[in-house]
Amino acid sequence: ANFDQLMQQVLARHQAAHLSGVVVAAGGDGTLNAVAAKLKGTHIPMGILPLGTFNYVARLLNIPLDLIEAAQVIATGTTRAVHVAQINQHIYLNNASLGLYPLFIQKRERYNQYLGRLPLHAYTSGLDVLIRDRKELKLKIAIDGTLYPLKTPLIFFGNNQLQLSEMNLRIAQAAEQGKVAGVVVAKSDKLTLFKILWQMIQGKLDQASDIYSFAADQVVIHSTQTQLTVAIDGEIVKMRPPLHISVQKNALNIKVPHVIASV
């Protein structure tokens, strides 16, 4: 609530034309998500001081990871409009997922408390999740109006083409064009999941069998469960189905360096 009040004050201040400036988000992609949710659809640009682990949003936009250089971009850069994906009332700048990935994040937080934030432990907790918590989601998914019954341990939606291309996913281009870009795992036996985790570690997810990717304007996920656990830009959220997923094109303005290489 305090954050909401603060952002209301900030937005009110920026609505006065002579005071219009940049709202700076300093943090990881979870922080950027919270600020972006308030700024989308406004004319006010967001500045980024990247302080996260992966900084996918900053890296996609060629914003320097050095904070002094990032501050110079905020002061002197140009404004670029980016696509914002939405799942019900929440936005995601990087990704949203159901199934194993939210479980993986919850477990990883527990591991991190004891072991520190080492990538090895992220993968160890991934294996732990695969062995113990293999739960299939029984869903119906409407892709641009066509309904498919689905049993899956994992559905992943990506909005950041850099992250998707690092995972070697062909749907990176679809995300760049402002489509809902999704990946579904079709099998949940232990061997398939181990293979998928291994392909994820190597960044070769598209080579894994039993993985299907798709791109659409609108996706709706139906479930008989009263709530679904969704990971949104690394934060865990409980949501009531149906889940409506879409992309608002060029809905958020971000300060970026003047010369942008094509991404």
Side-chain angles (χ1 to χ4, degrees), residues 28-247:
D29 289 337
T31 305
L32 267 51
N33 181 308
V35 176
K38 303 289 184 186
L39 294 180
K40 79 176 168 65
T42 73
H43 63 281
I44 305 162
M46 180 167 83
I48 296 175
L49 290 175
L51 296 169
T53 310
F54 299 110
N55 298 309
Y56 276 114
V57 176
R59 284 167 51 210
L60 173 69
L61 299 170
N62 287 348
I63 293 166
L65 300 185
D66 177 89
L67 292 182
I68 302 295
E69 290 175 26
Q72 284 172 336
V73 168
I74 294 167
T76 63
T78 188
T79 300
R80 176 174 164 185
V82 301
H83 307 318
V84 177
Q86 182 142 354
I87 177 163
N88 286 8
Q89 72 274 33
H90 295 271
I91 68 161
Y92 60 96
L93 300 174
N94 289 327
N95 58 64
S97 58
L98 293 87
L100 279 173
Y101 195 64
L103 264 177
F104 175 45
I105 289 174
Q106 286 171 315
K107 280 282 172 71
R108 193 178 62 195
E109 286 310 307
R110 255 175 268 158
Y111 271 77
N112 284 342
Q113 284 168 15
Y114 300 117
L115 301 168
R117 293 177 177 271
L118 294 174
L120 175 65
H121 296 130
Y123 294 126
T124 312
S125 63
L127 292 171
D128 183 51
V129 165
L130 290 186
I131 293 160
R132 289 179 206 221
D133 294 306
R134 285 182 300 128
K135 289 190 181 73
E136 271 193 329
L137 293 166
K138 289 187 179 130
L139 306 166
K140 286 183 179 166
I141 182 166
I143 300 173
D144 283 341
T146 307
L147 198 63
Y148 303 92
L150 185 65
K151 279 184 186 175
T152 178
L154 174 67
I155 305 184
F156 180 94
F157 295 97
N159 186 55
N160 184 316
Q161 62 262 35
L162 173 68
Q163 186 183 47
L164 293 171
S165 55
E166 279 191 4
M167 293 164 79
N168 271 354
L169 289 169
R170 293 182 204 102
I171 47 170
Q173 206 171 359
E176 190 176 0
Q177 290 161 358
K179 296 268 192 188
V180 176
V183 181
V184 171
V185 178
K187 271 189 176 178
S188 58
D189 63 279
K190 214 177 282 189
L191 184 62
T192 302
L193 294 175
F194 271 126
K195 277 185 193 163
I196 287 165
L197 187 72
W198 180 240
Q199 304 280 23
M200 262 172 86
I201 291 168
Q202 293 184 304
K204 296 177 180 171
L205 203 53
D206 248 15
Q207 295 174 19
S209 54
D210 305 304
I211 285 194
Y212 300 95
S213 55
F214 58 90
D217 291 315
Q218 296 278 339
V219 174
V220 183
I221 294 173
H222 301 273
S223 170
T224 54
Q225 290 176 243
T226 51
Q227 64 175 15
L228 294 167
T229 304
V230 188
I232 299 176
D233 285 348
E235 305 291 324
I236 302 292
V237 181
K238 303 277 187 191
M239 301 179 83
R240 290 180 70 85
L243 307 183
H244 294 265
I245 302 148
S246 60
V247 176

